[in-house]
Amino acid sequence: AQKITQTQPGMFVQEKEAVTLDCTYDTSDQSYGLFWYKQPSSGEMIFLIYQGSYDEQNATEGRYSLNFQKARKSANLVISASQLGDSAMYFCAMRGGRDDKIIFGKGTRLHILP
Amino acid sequence: SAVISQKPSRDICQRGTSLTIQCQVDSQVTMMFWYRQQPGQSLTLIATANQGSEATYESGFVIDKFPISRPNLTFSTLTVSNMSPEDSSIYLCSVGDRGPYTFGSGTRLTVV
């Protein structure tokens, strides 16, 4: 069975600092994908970044990068130069299995302090 | 990425009644997924809807409570039946045929 674990229920970070959100996963699939989504208080799910299991390079999207360590089964999100608007809930998710459905971790609530 | 129109955006319903949530996608997609997000919680997959076949339900979710229709490749509905206050949640649909999985804006359901 697939599983996503986010061990940080909440984090407080000073504005302009970098922040790392932890995510570990478990799967028996060889082909899978890892996602990070941001959910602000409005409730919408905003896609941030994607890493495929066969991608050799770590994914980057602007201020977001994904630190993919396949042997350790971790896919941490790094946000550089955090901004007040980064305050939100962040979910790590994994695609795989039959039907390519995605499952989510419990999330990390990030608070950026001015 | 596909764009999803979900409605209603919110509703307040009496216990014992049913609510049908609709999702319309701007392109044809193979799979549509329905999620529930209880207050302060993560997203939990309810079922996967494939056009032309019965939906596949996750453990803890049953068709009698959450019937799903998928009449074509751009549309799906989820019905929450015989509602109780415990069904108060945000319900979201999602598709992922092309690129990242995208989500509808969600239906915020309150059962009183």
Side-chain angles (χ1 to χ4, degrees):
Chain A
Q2 297 178 306
K3 187 176 181 181
I4 290 278
T5 302
Q6 295 180 256
T7 57
Q8 305 154 309
M11 289 186 69
F12 290 83
V13 174
Q14 210 67 41
E15 189 181 8
K16 298 181 184 177
E17 289 185 352
V19 56
T20 298
L21 305 181
D22 295 341
C23 174
T24 58
Y25 62 92
D26 193 20
T27 180
S28 56
D29 294 341
Q30 295 300 310
S31 176
Y32 53 89
L34 297 154
F35 301 80
W36 278 92
Y37 286 87
K38 172 183 179 181
Q39 188 179 46
S41 55
S42 60
E44 63 183 309
M45 293 292 287
I46 302 170
F47 166 76
L48 297 178
I49 197 166
Y50 170 79
Q51 180 87 38
S53 58
Y54 293 118
D55 295 340
E56 295 186 353
Q57 303 274 357
N58 284 346
T60 60
E61 291 282 354
R63 292 187 301 115
Y64 304 108
S65 61
L66 198 153
N67 185 2
F68 181 47
Q69 299 190 37
K70 196 170 183 177
R72 298 179 60 183
K73 293 190 174 179
S74 74
N76 298 339
L77 176 70
V78 180
I79 305 174
S80 63
S82 57
Q83 303 171 354
L84 294 177
D86 294 334
S87 294
M89 194 75 169
Y90 288 79
F91 292 104
C92 181
M94 178 168 60
R95 169 188 59 80
R98 192 170 61 92
D99 294 340
D100 266 350
K101 59 190 179 186
I102 60 172
I103 61 168
F104 288 82
K106 291 186 182 299
T108 296
R109 184 166 295 281
L110 178 62
H111 304 268
I112 305 299
L113 305 173
Chain B
S1 300
V3 175
I4 303 173
S5 174
Q6 181 174 347
K7 55 183 180 183
S9 59
R10 61 178 62 231
D11 208 340
I12 301 174
C13 300
Q14 296 290 324
R15 71 170 66 205
T17 62
S18 298
L19 175 72
T20 295
I21 302 166
Q22 300 179 4
C23 277
Q24 178 74 52
V25 190
D26 69 344
S27 58
Q28 293 185 338
V29 293
T30 307
M31 300 289 188
M32 292 183 73
F33 306 93
W34 286 96
Y35 290 86
R36 179 178 73 183
Q37 187 175 24
Q38 295 176 301
Q41 304 294 316
S42 182
L43 282 74
T44 300
L45 181 64
I46 297 173
T48 302
N50 192 1
Q51 193 266 335
S53 62
E54 278 199 9
T56 303
Y57 289 82
E58 298 297 308
S59 176
F61 298 96
V62 295
I63 187 172
D64 290 347
K65 176 67 176 177
F66 297 102
I68 288 171
S69 78
R70 183 80 200 276
N72 56 54
L73 291 174
T74 63
F75 186 79
S76 180
T77 67
L78 170 76
T79 299
V80 186
S81 304
N82 188 25
M83 289 183 285
S84 66
E86 291 71 33
D87 295 319
S88 296
S89 296
I90 299 173
Y91 294 85
L92 303 101
C93 60
S94 175
V95 300
D97 268 22
R98 298 178 184 85
Y101 287 65
T102 55
F103 289 80
S105 53
T107 297
R108 191 178 295 270
L109 171 62
T110 303
V111 183
V112 298

